[in-house]
């Protein structure tokens, strides 16, 4: 329903998408229970379960390894303001030999070897080994309540131009203490109410921000690579509408879990890479070997069609 119903009309479908890992796990366990209980309803549960294959692949996927040689390597990272070490981020990026680096919540200034800097702001930035032709802001924060940013950068790569769109949608601004339940029914109930009060208005803000980013995608004369921290999970309104007409690089080439935000003990995928049809994702890796932020870096490679 999130593909059709905007949050400003009915936000509760979007709220439901946050619990998808728990809901689908319960569905699978219930199906297995009916199978072992020799109930006919197990056939119905198993059949309807096939409808969830694609939604599940947005969280956990096992694509076949592709043998083609890549033309482009990018890194996307929410840097958390460099609070876990600017040099750690610089050293990691330099070790990866990427062609384009897109940061969200970068706040500080970074210097990557062999890369030129694009014009950025305090939240989203881009660095590239290739020539940056043009840049434009799609979303600009203009108040204390609107903290979303997005910009588009046109880069010439091997004779062709590609549009990179770097997105940071409105954050929910949760602290661990705000979402951690303590077993006290009254206190936990109030926490849940406070969480919902924060989620619903943010979903509605996302709707307008998604529309602004879509304009940059839809009006692009070049193939698009859409990257960033959407502050939204797969199967959400934001996922469906930002990814419309594009390929999810994780679904195309990812292996294992796409969970990228590791600060909570819950599977949360909010970092994404989407591409136009003419760009073939070859690999997508959530690099869990380093902890240089509360997000793991996302590293992806592509084959660019001539």
């Amino acid at each position: 329903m999130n593909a059709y119903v905007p949050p400003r009309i009915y936000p509760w479908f979007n709220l439901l998408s946050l619990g998808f890992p728990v809901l689908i796990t319960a569905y699978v366990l219930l199906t297995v229970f009916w199978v072992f209980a020799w109930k006919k309803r197990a056939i119905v549960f198993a059949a309807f379960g096939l409808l969830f294959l694609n939604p599940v692949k947005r969280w956990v996927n096992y694509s076949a390894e592709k043998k083609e040689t890549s033309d482009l390597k990018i890194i996307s990272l929410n840097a958390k303001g460099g609070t876990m070490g600017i040099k750690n981020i610089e050293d990691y990026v330099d070790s990866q030999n990427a062609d384009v680096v897109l940061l969200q919540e970068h706040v500080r200034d970074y210097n990557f070897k062999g890369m030129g800097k694009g014009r950025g702001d305090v939240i989203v930035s881009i660095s590239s080994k290739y020539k940056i032709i043009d840049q434009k802001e799609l979303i600009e924060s203009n108040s204390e309540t609107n903290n979303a940013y997005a910009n588009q950068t046109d880069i010439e790569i091997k004779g062709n131009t590609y549009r990179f769109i770097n997105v940071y949608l409105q954050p929910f601004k949760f602290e661990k203490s705000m979402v951690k339940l303590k077993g006290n029914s009254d206190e936990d109930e109030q926490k849940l109410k406070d969480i919902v009060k924060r989620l619903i208005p943010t979903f509605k803000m996302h709707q307008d921000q998604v529309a602004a980013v879509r304009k940059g995608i839809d009006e692009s004369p070049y193939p698009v690579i859409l990257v960033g921290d959407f502050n939204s999970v797969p199967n959400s309104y934001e996922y469906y509408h930002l990814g419309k007409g594009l390929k999810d690089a994780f679904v195309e080439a990812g292996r294992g879990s796409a969970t990228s935000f590791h600060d909570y003990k819950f599977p949360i995928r909010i970092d994404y890479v989407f591409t136009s049809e003419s760009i073939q994702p070859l690999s997508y890796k959530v690099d869990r070997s380093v902890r240089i932020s509360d997000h793991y870096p996302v590293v992806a490679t592509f084959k660019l069609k001539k």
Side-chain angles (χ1 to χ4, degrees):
M1 295 305 296
N2 282 325
Y4 309 103
V5 182
R8 289 193 181 279
I9 293 178
Y10 192 77
W12 296 96
F13 290 132
N14 225 26
L15 186 68
L16 193 64
S17 68
L18 294 172
F20 182 80
V22 173
L23 294 171
I24 196 64
T25 299
Y27 189 95
V28 170
L29 292 175
L30 194 57
T31 303
V32 172
F33 172 78
W34 294 130
V35 169
F36 281 99
W38 291 96
K39 299 291 184 179
K40 291 182 179 179
R41 70 195 70 171
I43 299 174
V44 177
F45 269 68
F48 275 102
L50 297 176
L51 298 174
F52 295 109
L53 286 180
N54 282 334
V56 168
K57 286 177 66 175
R58 297 168 191 155
W59 295 82
V60 180
N61 191 26
Y62 290 95
S63 299
E65 188 174 354
K66 296 177 173 60
K67 303 297 183 181
E68 294 96 328
T69 302
S70 66
D71 298 315
L72 177 70
K73 182 178 183 178
I74 72 168
I75 296 174
S76 176
L77 172 66
N78 181 313
K80 199 185 178 182
T83 54
M84 298 177 73
I86 294 176
K87 190 174 186 305
N88 292 335
I89 294 174
E90 290 176 337
D91 289 345
Y92 174 78
V93 170
D94 290 341
S95 72
Q96 292 297 307
N97 193 31
D99 299 301
V100 180
V101 177
L102 303 104
L103 299 181
Q104 304 88 39
E105 280 198 273
H106 70 97
V107 181
R108 318 293 175 85
D109 199 16
Y110 299 87
N111 293 292
F112 304 127
K113 291 179 182 177
M115 287 194 169
K117 295 180 183 177
R119 186 178 71 252
D121 48 48
V122 296
I123 296 296
V124 295
S125 70
I126 187 168
S127 299
S128 172
K129 289 183 177 179
Y130 294 101
K131 181 181 178 181
I132 294 175
I133 298 173
D134 189 35
Q135 285 192 283
K136 176 184 176 181
E137 290 183 344
L138 298 175
I139 301 175
E140 182 181 3
S141 178
N142 53 24
S143 71
E144 292 183 1
T145 57
N146 177 15
N147 299 118
Y149 290 79
N151 64 31
Q152 66 182 38
T153 305
D154 297 337
I155 300 178
E156 184 180 330
I157 302 175
K158 300 177 181 179
N160 294 311
T161 303
Y162 298 86
R163 175 162 294 178
F164 289 79
I165 298 180
N166 193 5
V167 176
Y168 178 75
L169 294 187
Q170 181 73 20
F172 294 104
K173 297 182 180 179
F174 283 124
E175 300 293 338
K176 285 184 179 180
S177 59
M178 298 168 64
V179 298
K180 187 176 182 180
L181 304 181
K182 297 182 177 180
N184 182 308
S185 59
D186 292 336
E187 186 177 345
D188 289 349
E189 182 180 354
Q190 186 58 49
K191 278 191 174 185
L192 290 173
K193 289 180 180 178
D194 292 341
I195 289 171
V196 172
K197 286 179 182 178
R198 190 175 291 251
L199 289 172
I200 299 301
T202 304
F203 289 151
K204 294 178 179 180
M205 293 179 70
H206 282 182
Q207 182 177 337
D208 296 332
Q209 294 160 10
V210 166
V213 175
R214 277 304 323 180
K215 187 175 181 181
I217 298 170
D218 295 336
E219 295 180 356
S220 176
Y222 314 117
V224 170
I225 297 179
L226 171 66
V227 172
D229 177 357
F230 294 0
N231 279 306
S232 307
V233 297
N235 315 318
S236 64
Y237 174 88
E238 296 86 339
Y239 179 93
Y240 282 114
H241 289 265
L242 284 174
K244 184 179 180 181
L246 303 175
K247 296 188 291 190
D248 182 340
F250 175 73
V251 174
E252 296 289 323
R255 307 181 76 183
S257 170
T259 294
S260 51
F261 180 72
H262 59 79
D263 211 27
Y264 299 160
K265 304 297 183 182
F266 189 83
I268 301 178
R269 181 193 180 193
I270 55 178
D271 299 288
Y272 301 89
V273 178
F274 286 90
T275 71
S276 292
E277 289 293 331
S278 62
I279 301 172
Q280 181 186 357
L282 296 181
S283 68
Y284 182 107
K285 178 183 179 182
V286 179
D287 194 346
R288 296 181 176 83
S289 67
V290 293
R291 291 207 175 194
I292 51 180
S293 168
D294 54 354
H295 293 240
Y296 291 119
V298 171
V299 183
T301 62
F302 308 92
K303 182 74 173 178
L304 304 177
K305 294 184 179 179
K306 306 299 183 185

